Amino acid sequence: MEKTHVRELAEEYLRLGGHRRVAIDDNETSIRSWEDEPPEADAYWRENVETLSPATQREVQLMLPTINRA
C-alpha cells in the first residue's frame, strides 16, 4: 500500500522525535504535548503541518498516536 502525503508528514515528524499526540473528542481533534520536543521536530511541524489547510492538518493529526483509549 502506498503511503499518503499526510502519513508521510506525520511519520517524519515522529521520526524527528516529536511528542505531540492527538486527542479525539466528539469527532473533534486537538493536539497535546507534555514534553519539550527536539527543535527539529518543532520546526518541521511549524513549517510543514501548520501551513496546511485546517482539514489537511486534521488528517495529519489523525496519523499521530492518540491519547484516547481504544
Side-chain angles (χ1 to χ4, degrees):
M1 179 186 296
E2 188 174 324
K3 289 184 184 179
T4 63
H5 180 64
V6 295
R7 179 173 291 282
E8 290 172 347
L9 289 170
E11 287 179 353
E12 179 63 10
Y13 165 74
L14 294 170
R15 187 192 71 76
L16 292 169
H19 297 291
R20 291 177 176 134
R21 301 295 180 253
V22 65
I24 305 167
D25 186 26
D26 291 333
N27 208 28
E28 296 293 321
T29 61
S30 61
I31 296 298
R32 304 281 195 268
S33 185
W34 294 271
E35 302 175 41
D36 290 333
E37 30 186 32
E40 298 85 8
D42 183 54
Y44 184 85
W45 185 268
R46 285 186 283 109
E47 294 168 10
N48 295 286
V49 179
E50 288 182 359
T51 58
L52 300 170
S53 70
T56 307
Q57 285 183 42
R58 183 178 190 278
E59 288 181 46
V60 175
Q61 293 170 1
L62 290 171
M63 295 293 148
L64 297 176
T66 182
I67 63 169
N68 297 72
R69 293 186 174 179

